[in-house]
Amino acid sequence: MTNTCSPPEDNLSPFNIILIFTIMGMECIIGIVVNGFIVAINAAEWIQNKTISTSGRILCFLSISRIALQSLMILEITFHSTSPQFYYKDGVYDTFKVGFMFLHYCSLWFSSWLSFFYFVKIADFSYHLFLKLKWRITGLMPWLLWLSVFFALGYSMLFSYGIYTVYCNNTFPIPSSNSTKKIYFAETNMVNLVLLYNLGIFIPLIMFILAATLLIISLKRHTLHMKSNATGSRDPSMEAHLGAIRAISYFLILYIFNAVALILYMSNIFNANSSWDILCKIIMAAYPAGHSILLIQENSGLKRAWKQLQSQVHLYLKK
């Protein structure tokens, strides 16, 4: 079963298309700057201390994957809008789609491991298996991160088999010109697309939901314990619980919007440069930047470094 997109039609004026592509470009640039900041701070810690924390290592993997993802988005937007003959060549279209899904899966896996790590370090359970995991998670995490890269690569490579068929349907003359314009079509096997996409996100999303559920259970137990001992309403452990739950909740909300936009965009059901097609691209470009900004807000070290950077930039601009 295939779903064939309609011919690419410019439903928006050239000015509006340029304006929206500018918005997408700004989103990508903001995302690259924010994620570059996260990488730089953790790299500086690594150089200074000759070691890096496990959470810092995960953040580096996550930020690097998002820098690559948004760089690829800028590259795809450029070729798609300026050189469609090159973009729709045999192999080029599939390469962009496979690369896009690989980096998307990497970002999802690394975000899942970050939430899982927060859960293991913050949650308060006395089960033997959990305590053993709590003790070994630091040593296991580098292996889990690289294993995720291979999983993401394996899942994304499946998108190059029988998912997309690109061809030139016809040519038509351009008014007031002696040249002609080619119309490109992209057939999409929707069954394979949806199946492979859901297969690729199933494990990391289950990890997210499990970590969030167990953190809430741990927070509830901790709150009941505090009430029974007549202690204050807040303590560092409770703040850590709430911070981790907020971070996971932010990601899940953003990811739902991104996942819907991604599956619609990959399915080619909208005309190129139509309002719906561009809206999907805007949402996909906003998601990596938005979540990384929220991560900075929820990480005390990154938040402090960001404020120091802002003050230095402000002083520099005043000179």
Side-chain angles (χ1 to χ4, degrees):
M1 178 180 178
T2 59
N3 181 37
T4 307
C5 71
S6 302
E9 297 174 355
D10 293 331
N11 295 337
L12 301 177
S13 67
F15 174 78
N16 288 336
I17 292 174
I18 293 173
L19 178 64
I20 294 174
F21 281 163
T22 301
I23 294 172
M24 294 169 56
M26 288 298 298
E27 288 175 334
C28 289
I29 291 172
I30 291 171
I32 291 172
V33 170
V34 170
N35 285 289
F37 169 79
I38 295 175
V39 173
I41 294 299
N42 286 283
E45 176 194 345
W46 197 346
I47 294 171
Q48 182 178 359
N49 302 328
K50 307 300 181 184
T51 185
I52 186 171
S53 64
T54 303
S55 60
R57 189 188 301 268
I58 302 172
L59 284 170
C60 278
F61 272 76
L62 176 60
S63 296
I64 290 172
S65 70
R66 286 179 169 173
I67 291 171
L69 175 61
Q70 296 201 290
S71 299
L72 181 65
M73 291 183 71
I74 293 175
L75 196 63
E76 183 183 23
I77 292 168
T78 302
F79 283 125
H80 182 262
S81 57
T82 62
S83 303
Q85 293 85 356
F86 173 78
Y87 178 76
Y88 286 107
K89 277 185 178 179
D90 291 340
V92 176
Y93 185 83
D94 282 342
T95 300
F96 272 112
K97 297 302 182 183
V98 170
F100 193 85
M101 292 309 301
F102 168 66
L103 294 171
H104 173 77
Y105 282 148
C106 281
S107 176
L108 178 58
W109 273 101
F110 299 151
S111 298
S112 299
W113 286 126
L114 183 64
S115 298
F116 184 76
F117 178 75
Y118 285 158
F119 153 68
V120 171
K121 286 298 183 181
I122 294 170
D124 185 18
F125 295 109
S126 57
Y127 303 111
H128 175 71
L129 182 61
F130 178 79
L131 294 175
K132 189 175 181 180
L133 179 62
K134 200 181 190 78
W135 178 64
R136 298 189 60 187
I137 188 66
T138 299
L140 287 174
M141 191 53 67
W143 296 98
L144 294 173
L145 291 173
W146 284 111
L147 185 63
S148 301
V149 173
F150 289 110
F151 268 111
L153 181 61
Y155 282 126
S156 60
M157 288 302 296
L158 295 175
F159 281 84
S160 63
Y161 297 100
I163 303 295
Y164 303 106
T165 302
V166 180
Y167 59 92
C168 179
N169 180 56
N170 206 344
T171 59
F172 66 93
I174 299 177
S176 303
S177 174
N178 294 326
S179 60
T180 59
K181 182 177 180 180
K182 295 182 179 180
I183 291 293
Y184 293 94
F185 287 80
E187 283 189 350
T188 306
N189 189 314
M190 287 297 296
V191 174
N192 287 350
L193 176 66
V194 174
L195 178 63
L196 292 179
Y197 177 76
N198 287 299
L199 183 65
I201 69 172
F202 178 75
I203 297 176
L205 277 184
I206 289 297
M207 288 169 53
F208 255 113
I209 295 171
L210 184 63
T213 303
L214 292 176
L215 270 173
I216 293 171
I217 293 173
S218 177
L219 176 62
K220 184 177 180 180
R221 291 178 56 180
H222 181 72
T223 304
L224 291 174
H225 176 73
M226 290 174 60
K227 287 181 178 179
S228 65
N229 292 334
T231 59
S233 59
R234 289 291 180 93
D235 69 351
S237 179
M238 177 174 285
E239 292 293 344
H241 275 84
L242 293 173
I245 292 171
R246 279 197 302 268
I248 294 175
S249 300
Y250 290 154
F251 177 83
L252 285 175
I253 293 171
L254 290 172
Y255 185 77
I256 289 172
F257 285 100
N258 178 75
V260 173
L262 177 64
I263 198 70
L264 291 175
Y265 173 70
M266 297 287 286
S267 64
N268 297 309
I269 63 175
F270 299 128
N271 295 337
N273 294 337
S274 69
S275 56
W276 286 106
D277 180 71
I278 293 177
L279 178 61
C280 290
K281 292 179 181 178
I282 290 175
I283 293 173
M284 290 188 297
Y287 151 72
H291 184 240
S292 296
I293 291 172
L294 291 173
L295 284 177
I296 292 176
Q297 293 298 315
E298 292 297 328
N299 185 297
S300 58
L302 291 174
K303 187 176 182 179
R304 184 168 54 252
W306 183 258
K307 287 182 177 179
Q308 291 174 354
L309 177 63
Q310 285 180 317
S311 62
Q312 291 175 0
V313 171
H314 182 69
L315 290 174
Y316 177 79
L317 293 175
K318 287 180 67 177
K319 291 181 179 180

